[in-house]
């Protein structure tokens, strides 16, 4: 039976940005993915590796020339210019019996990617040589080891090239390919339920009346969930009515994580926290000193709160939830700041710290102190002259302004004014 009389949570916790983030990170560190699956190599792009990838041979498998030029014995090039006898040519892919050994005074023509011959300990770039018949004159000195990558120096056979928990990107996929892995074991993506709330919100199949607003939050959240490695499960929009909200939340708690959007402010019909209380929710914070997104809520309910949830002993003891403020930009920002680490951990990724980059501020900013602000901004410039300025926008409802931005400018809570030319923190997106 649904009780509409359940008490709203103690409004205990309004945390600083850093404290709220750290608290989420602590919880994220304890979460585990629910299973593994085998995928084709490129299909695994963006997923989290669930096994180590081992070197099946030495990397590189032979001492590899890094330049086109001449394989030499560095001891022969004490005096410049040095003249050496060319005894052969080694191309990439040359078999052992096509590789001449170098005696003192010898050199061999060698191509990038070819095995360095026995006796050689350096390669002189072709640019620093001149050739006459079977003689080559070396005009620039080399040290032992120059332009040769020793066999096994990148990794020895059997060594771990990639640990479980890394997100597969193009570099990791290259490594897996080089180790002969055409399939990889990755973690199963967590299911993340998305529940938009609000009497005024209608979904895309409905022509909105003048007083109605189209649901955009479910879709931005779905895109963010997928980008973080999860699988979004969109629930129907919930009205500001406790019984129906309860019913839809119960559906949401069947997923690995529930994201609610809207209904967490102080308004009379902001019912989300009250209805979460009916599930025995534990609240870790009910606000963070940020803008946009201050009313953000983070907590968990005991396992089994969902209607038909897996109640096996291996299932986690809790299901986490977030109540995100419904203003579209607030929803997006609070996902990036707080939800992302939880989704990533459920997806099996090794926990990541949030790091900002720095750029020069293009035009002065004035704000009020007290909140850490994550303001839609435009990062531009070229090469090492990156600069950033606030994007024109009309507050946290302005998703079109947000879409014209490409990053968040981070204003610390103690700054009222930041002058043009100062270094500022930026969160790229
Ligand atoms: P709330 O957080 O419920 O107070 O909502 C704050 C603002 O965000 C209101 O203007 C809502 O109409 C708007 N809003 C809430 N949910 C959504 C949604 N799913 N899609 C678009 N706008 C929303
Ligand atoms: Mg609302």
């Amino acid at each position: 039976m649904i009780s509409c009389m359940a008490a709203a949570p103690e409004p205990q916790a309004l945390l600083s940005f850093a404290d709220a983030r750290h608290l989420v990170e602590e919880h994220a560190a304890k979460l585990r993915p629910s299973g593994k699956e085998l995928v084709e190599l490129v299909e695994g792009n963006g997923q989290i590796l669930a096994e180590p990838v081992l070197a099946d041979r030495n990397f590189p498998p032979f001492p590899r020339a890094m330049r086109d030029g001449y394989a030499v014995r560095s001891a022969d090039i004490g005096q410049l210019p040095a003249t050496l006898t060319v005894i052969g040519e080694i191309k990439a892919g040359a078999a052992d019996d096509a590789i001449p050994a170098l005696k003192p005074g010898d050199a061999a023509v060698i191509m990038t990617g070819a095995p360095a011959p026995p006796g050689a300990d350096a390669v002189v770039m072709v640019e620093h040589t001149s050739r006459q018949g079977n003689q080559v004159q070396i005009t620039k000195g080399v040290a032992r080891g120059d332009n040769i990558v020793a066999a096994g120096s990148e990794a020895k056979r059997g060594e771990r090239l990639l640990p479980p928990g890394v997100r597969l990107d193009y570099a990791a996929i290259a490594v897996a390919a080089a180790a002969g892995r055409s399939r990889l074991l990755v973690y199963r993506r967590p299911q993340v339920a998305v529940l938009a709330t609000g009497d005024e919100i209608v979904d895309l199949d409905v022509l909105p009346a003048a007083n109605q607003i189209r649901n955009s939050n479910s879709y931005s959240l779905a895109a963010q969930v997928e980008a973080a490695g999860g699988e979004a499960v969109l629930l129907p929009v919930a009205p500001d009515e406790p019984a129906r909200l309860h019913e839809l939340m119960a559906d949401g708690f069947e997923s690995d994580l529930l994201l609610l959007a809207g209904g967490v402010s102080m308004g009379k019909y902001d019912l989300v926290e009250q209805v979460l209380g009916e599930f025995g929710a534990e609240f870790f914070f009910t606000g963070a000193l940020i803008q946009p997104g201050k009313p953000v809520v983070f907590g968990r309910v005991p396992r089994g709160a969902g209607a038909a949830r897996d109640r096996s002993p291996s299932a986690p003891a809790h299901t986490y939830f977030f109540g995100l403020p419904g203003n579209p930009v607030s929803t997006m920002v609070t996902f990036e700041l707080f939800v992302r680490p939880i989704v990533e951990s459920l997806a099996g990724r090794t926990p990541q710290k949030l790091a900002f980059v720095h750029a020069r501020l293009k035009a002065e900013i004035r704000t009020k102190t007290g909140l850490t602000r994550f303001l839609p901004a435009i990062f531009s410039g070229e090469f090492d002259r990156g600069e950033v300025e606030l994007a024109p926008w009309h507050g946290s409802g302005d998703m079109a302004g947000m879409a014209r931005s490409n990053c968040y400018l981070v204003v610390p809570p103690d700054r009222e004014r930041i002058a043009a030319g100062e270094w500022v923190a930026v969160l790229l997106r």
Side-chain angles (χ1 to χ4, degrees), residues 327-339:
N327 258 319
V329 180
S330 309
T331 311
M332 296 178 206
V333 170
T334 48
F335 182 97
E336 291 304 312
L337 298 180
F338 303 118
V339 182

Side-chain angles (χ1 to χ4, degrees), residues 148-229:
I148 294 179
V149 185
S153 59
E154 296 163 0
K156 298 258 184 312
R157 182 193 157 103
E159 230 172 76
R160 197 160 78 163
L161 296 168
L162 298 173
V166 299
R167 182 196 291 269
L168 294 168
D169 65 357
Y170 54 82
I173 284 174
V175 168
R181 300 296 309 275
S182 56
R183 286 184 185 163
L184 292 172
L185 205 53
V186 297
Y187 290 113
R188 201 177 304 136
R189 294 173 187 272
Q191 295 214 326
V192 180
V194 176
L195 178 54
T197 74
D199 279 344
E200 77 283 27
I201 309 300
V202 294
D203 229 316
L204 306 191
D205 51 348
V206 176
L207 190 66
N211 57 337
Q212 292 178 318
I213 295 290
R214 281 207 184 93
N215 176 19
S216 61
N217 286 341
S218 294
Y219 301 96
S220 55
L221 284 172
Q224 288 175 292
V225 164
E226 305 269 330

Side-chain angles (χ1 to χ4, degrees), residues 27 74-75 87 89 97 169 233 253 258 315 342 350 364 388 403 425:
H27 286 276
S74 57
I87 60 158
E89 181 184 284
D97 58 8
D169 65 357
V233 179
F253 282 128
L258 170 59
I342 298 284
T350 305
E364 184 194 66
V388 67

Side-chain angles (χ1 to χ4, degrees), residues 58-68 71-72 110-117 120-124 143-156:
N58 284 336
F59 278 62
F62 49 79
R64 182 178 62 209
M66 293 169 71
R67 296 280 188 267
D68 296 321
V72 300
I110 195 162
M111 317 300 164
T112 300
D121 64 5
V123 167
V124 180
R144 202 182 156 76
D146 280 0
N147 299 321
I148 294 179
V149 185
S153 59
E154 296 163 0
K156 298 258 184 312

